[in-house]
Amino acid sequence: MTSKVLVVGSGVIGLRTARELLRRQIRVSLVSPKHPLHPSTCSMGAGGLWMPFHCDDTRTDRWSFETLSELNSLSSNSSSGDLVEVLPAVAFHRNEDKSSDIPAWATDAKAKSLSFRQLHIDDLYEESKSRK
């Protein structure tokens, strides 16, 4: 087991990586030229996208749902609610047959908070007309 890890950067990815390592009781050394809240860092107002990506590793779904569960917990926690906001997920497709492209994770009850939808460009056009 690794006894100490160097994390370079205090942006969203660096801080999240350091936090996870600490949670696993691994010592962390964080090096960054700027404080995480310094106005020059892009992470001060940056966002992130959670979505499992196609991967042949069988652990991907478990990792994805662990992360989603943690994000949902942070978004509903009043002390950290400003840090995470869960928004509906939309996938856009060029082909008409959207059903064949639905990712397995999108139909899982654990991902219900995402309100996942798939749209074809025609669907998007129709929705935009109805909102005018």
Side-chain angles (χ1 to χ4, degrees):
M1 169 72 66
T2 302
S3 60
K4 188 173 183 181
V5 173
L6 170 66
V7 176
V8 179
S10 62
V12 171
I13 294 170
L15 291 176
R16 178 64 181 97
T17 300
R19 182 174 183 258
E20 182 61 24
L21 290 167
L22 289 169
R23 187 183 71 79
R24 294 175 186 224
Q25 300 178 353
I26 297 172
R27 289 179 34 219
V28 173
S29 205
L30 182 70
V31 177
S32 179
K34 301 285 184 182
H35 185 279
L37 297 178
H38 190 276
S40 68
T41 65
C42 64
S43 291
M44 184 176 177
L49 171 66
W50 173 91
M51 184 171 66
F53 188 74
H54 173 72
C55 180
D56 292 333
D57 191 319
T58 57
R59 300 171 293 178
T60 301
D61 284 345
R62 181 175 52 86
W63 292 336
S64 299
F65 286 121
E66 285 174 6
T67 302
L68 180 61
S69 176
E70 184 175 334
L71 292 172
N72 281 332
S73 175
L74 285 170
S75 73
S76 62
N77 182 333
S78 60
S79 65
S80 61
D82 292 344
L83 300 175
V84 175
E85 181 180 8
V86 178
L87 300 172
V90 179
F92 296 100
H93 292 277
R94 293 180 184 169
N95 62 350
E96 294 290 333
D97 181 20
K98 297 175 287 193
S99 61
S100 64
D101 295 329
I102 295 175
W105 61 263
T107 59
D108 193 292
K110 297 174 198 158
K112 186 177 181 181
S113 64
L114 298 176
S115 304
F116 182 81
R117 293 175 46 202
Q118 290 189 298
L119 294 175
H120 183 268
I121 191 69
D122 295 336
D123 300 328
L124 184 61
Y125 175 72
E126 291 301 320
E127 279 197 22
S128 69
K129 284 188 347 185
S130 68
R131 294 180 187 220
K132 289 184 179 180

